[in-house]
Amino acid sequence: MICQEKLYSKKECTDIIKYSGTYTDTDNYFKGNHFILEQNKINFLNNPTSYKVFVIPRNSKTDWMFSKILTWFKSINQIPKGFIEDVTSCTLHRYSVGDEFTLHVDVNTSCPDRVYNLGIQLNSDYTGGEYICIDKTDNEVILNKETGTAVGYSCNVPHKINKITRGERWSIVMPINITKGARRQTSTVL
């Protein structure tokens, strides 16, 4: 199931984008993964893509953003309280002209506990950069580009970001991991 809903105001999205000037501790967040990080720009080794990334920790200044999307996603998927482990951070992505993220899934050896992907579309004043998921019948689902749209789907869903042709695309990516004790129950929730 691919869920999307306008959840954040333009002002809230602008405030989130401003976190790019505050939080940049990407080295520890991405340590040991299958990509190269240079000047906060990710270059994946097995996926020809690159974009700028900033890590946003969950703290007293940012908790409003985390709480809003997590409450929404838990309610629409009827996820029991305590089933999803506490989310302590997310990443803010900035795609510039020429940046893209080719088709992939997010379950792999570097993130075996990931179960869901959540995201926030932070702006819409760019061209290209469509966020596309592939549904169970192999059809493309183009996610809403409207500023403030929250998205959520299983990490098994293939997805991509098309090449940016004008402007910059800003978004939040929030991976949701399952607690080890709850792993046995995932088949009933997904």
Side-chain angles (χ1 to χ4, degrees):
M1 175 167 58
I2 302 166
C3 308
Q4 54 184 331
E5 183 176 329
K6 174 120 168 65
L7 202 60
Y8 294 83
S9 70
K10 285 187 179 185
K11 183 191 179 316
E12 288 173 324
C13 291
T14 299
D15 290 344
I16 295 168
I17 290 171
K18 288 178 185 175
Y19 292 148
S20 66
T22 306
Y23 303 110
T24 58
D25 184 22
T26 52
D27 291 337
N28 288 328
Y29 186 88
F30 292 109
K31 190 173 276 186
N33 286 306
H34 51 281
F35 48 81
I36 299 169
L37 183 65
E38 295 176 1
Q39 298 177 337
N40 283 30
K41 191 150 184 156
I42 285 183
N43 291 297
F44 286 81
L45 300 178
N46 60 354
N47 197 341
T49 187
S50 65
Y51 54 87
K52 197 95 163 159
V53 66
F54 308 88
V55 176
I56 300 176
R58 188 173 187 177
N59 58 36
S60 59
K61 291 180 183 178
T62 63
D63 187 62
W64 66 272
M65 174 190 69
F66 287 87
S67 294
K68 189 178 245 189
I69 194 168
L70 290 170
T71 300
W72 166 76
F73 193 68
K74 284 179 186 179
S75 70
I76 62 173
N77 284 291
Q78 301 165 353
I79 297 171
K81 185 175 181 174
F83 189 78
I84 296 177
E85 71 183 17
D86 290 334
V87 177
T88 60
S89 63
C90 67
T91 51
L92 172 62
H93 296 208
R94 184 185 79 193
Y95 291 82
S96 300
V97 172
D99 289 346
E100 65 181 333
F101 202 158
T102 58
L103 192 65
H104 65 286
V105 294
D106 289 332
V107 174
N108 56 50
T109 55
S110 68
C111 50
D113 295 328
R114 187 180 293 185
V115 178
Y116 298 109
N117 292 322
L118 302 183
I120 308 167
Q121 176 71 32
L122 298 174
N123 71 317
S124 58
D125 55 341
Y126 59 91
T127 305
E130 295 81 12
Y131 191 166
I132 299 173
C133 291
I134 308 300
D135 70 13
K136 290 181 179 184
T137 59
D138 288 330
N139 292 312
E140 287 190 352
V141 176
I142 300 173
L143 299 179
N144 191 335
K145 245 181 160 174
E146 183 180 4
T147 300
T149 299
V151 301
Y153 53 88
S154 168
C155 62
N156 293 320
V157 171
H159 57 283
K160 66 181 178 177
I161 304 291
N162 284 345
K163 190 176 286 190
I164 304 294
T165 57
R166 183 189 59 79
E168 292 181 331
R169 179 188 188 277
W170 288 87
S171 62
I172 287 291
V173 173
M174 190 178 297
I176 303 297
N177 299 323
I178 285 297
T179 59
K180 294 190 184 346
R183 179 167 286 289
R184 292 181 297 276
Q185 301 172 34
T186 57
S187 61
T188 60
V189 173
L190 300 177

